[in-house]
Amino acid sequence: MPCLMIDDAILQNTAGYSSGYPAGVPKMYAWYRGATKHRTGGEPPAHFTAVTGWGSIYREARSADQPESEQSVDLANAKTYVHIRDTREWRLVQDQASNTMAGAHFVPNFSNNEALPMKLEERAEGSVTLSGPPAGYNNHFWPVMRGTFDAGTVDAVYFQIDIKVSNPEPKLIAHVGVDWWLDDQAEFVQGFQNNPTAGASNWVTLTEKWSTLKFYSGDPEKLRLNPPPPLVPDAVTTMSNCAPSHAAKGADKG
């Protein structure tokens, strides 16, 4: 029986349910083990007015030494919703259907933003195909146009995207997250003053079947009481059948 999307979203953002760990990322990094939430909770800084979802794909640590193989990654249906405090409405602010994807192959720890170009090819049906991560690099991607909202009106965010790979070997894992931005044109500055993170999800093993990766900020019980449109009660996965939730709690620590 298909599992509920909302249950899967909560599991993907509960610490201890990653299905692997990213090669080359220092183990002391909070996001090495998976789910993280910013210490300030679900809200952006009071004067911020923009947001973007994002994702990262790595070789799994135990597969790092496997030989290179021809791999590509497909992305589809990326959507970001913000929760409006006063009206309790979830508002769609990023949609892959009208917002192309961008990205690059970064070094695993993002040191000095060192990166290689990444091939992105848009498909007729609306998905995007990426070149797989070369040894020693990742795939990091995001929608080109940031979502916007009025300052002080938002208290939570939700992002999801469908991902699959052309070849499951070497093993690839992915997680997704959200950054708040000062505004829709702010430049990146060292220290993340212009784009503090809202958090990131657990690591999910990618396969040749679609998996839906999900991140939300804030409290899980509030999410249950007032879910965004993709997670409404009784909604079930149509692409992944909740495959990410099959990850075992306490996976091998790499």
Side-chain angles (χ1 to χ4, degrees), residues 144-186:
V144 169
M145 295 182 293
R146 297 171 195 159
T148 59
F149 51 87
D150 293 334
T153 63
V154 166
D155 62 2
V157 65
Y158 174 78
F159 173 70
Q160 74 172 45
I161 188 170
D162 299 317
I163 310 179
K164 68 176 182 177
V165 294
S166 61
N167 182 353
E169 298 296 338
K171 182 179 178 183
L172 298 182
I173 59 174
H175 75 168
V176 295
V178 167
D179 288 347
W180 303 112
W181 279 89
L182 178 62
D183 57 48
D184 61 350
Q185 299 298 318

Side-chain angles (χ1 to χ4, degrees), residues 35-174:
T36 61
K37 296 288 181 68
H38 194 272
R39 63 183 180 276
T40 59
E43 302 184 14
H47 58 296
F48 277 45
T49 60
V51 65
T52 192
W54 52 261
S56 293
I57 299 170
Y58 284 76
R59 284 195 177 202
E60 203 278 327
R62 291 165 292 187
S63 301
D65 295 330
Q66 289 186 9
E68 291 282 341
S69 66
E70 191 70 26
Q71 281 181 306
S72 62
V73 180
D74 291 332
L75 311 177
N77 303 315
K79 295 179 186 291
T80 307
Y81 294 82
V82 293
H83 185 259
I84 307 303
R85 187 196 324 273
D86 291 343
T87 64
R88 301 184 70 242
E89 161 201 6
W90 284 97
R91 183 175 299 165
L92 180 64
V93 294
Q94 288 182 305
D95 187 347
Q96 188 175 341
S98 57
N99 192 349
T100 190
M101 306 295 285
H105 298 300
F106 286 83
V107 293
N109 64 355
F110 294 95
S111 177
N112 299 316
N113 272 341
E114 181 184 341
L116 300 174
M118 182 169 67
K119 182 180 178 181
L120 296 92
E121 183 177 354
E122 295 190 16
R123 300 296 185 181
E125 71 275 14
S127 66
V128 171
T129 298
L130 314 178
S131 52
Y137 291 84
N138 65 21
N139 283 16
H140 186 51
F141 55 86
W142 58 88
V144 169
M145 295 182 293
R146 297 171 195 159
T148 59
F149 51 87
D150 293 334
T153 63
V154 166
D155 62 2
V157 65
Y158 174 78
F159 173 70
Q160 74 172 45
I161 188 170
D162 299 317
I163 310 179
K164 68 176 182 177
V165 294
S166 61
N167 182 353
E169 298 296 338
K171 182 179 178 183
L172 298 182
I173 59 174

Side-chain angles (χ1 to χ4, degrees), residues 10 216 219-226:
I10 290 171
Y216 68 90
D219 181 81
E221 291 310 310
K222 290 182 179 179
L223 190 77
R224 285 193 185 279
L225 291 171
N226 182 23

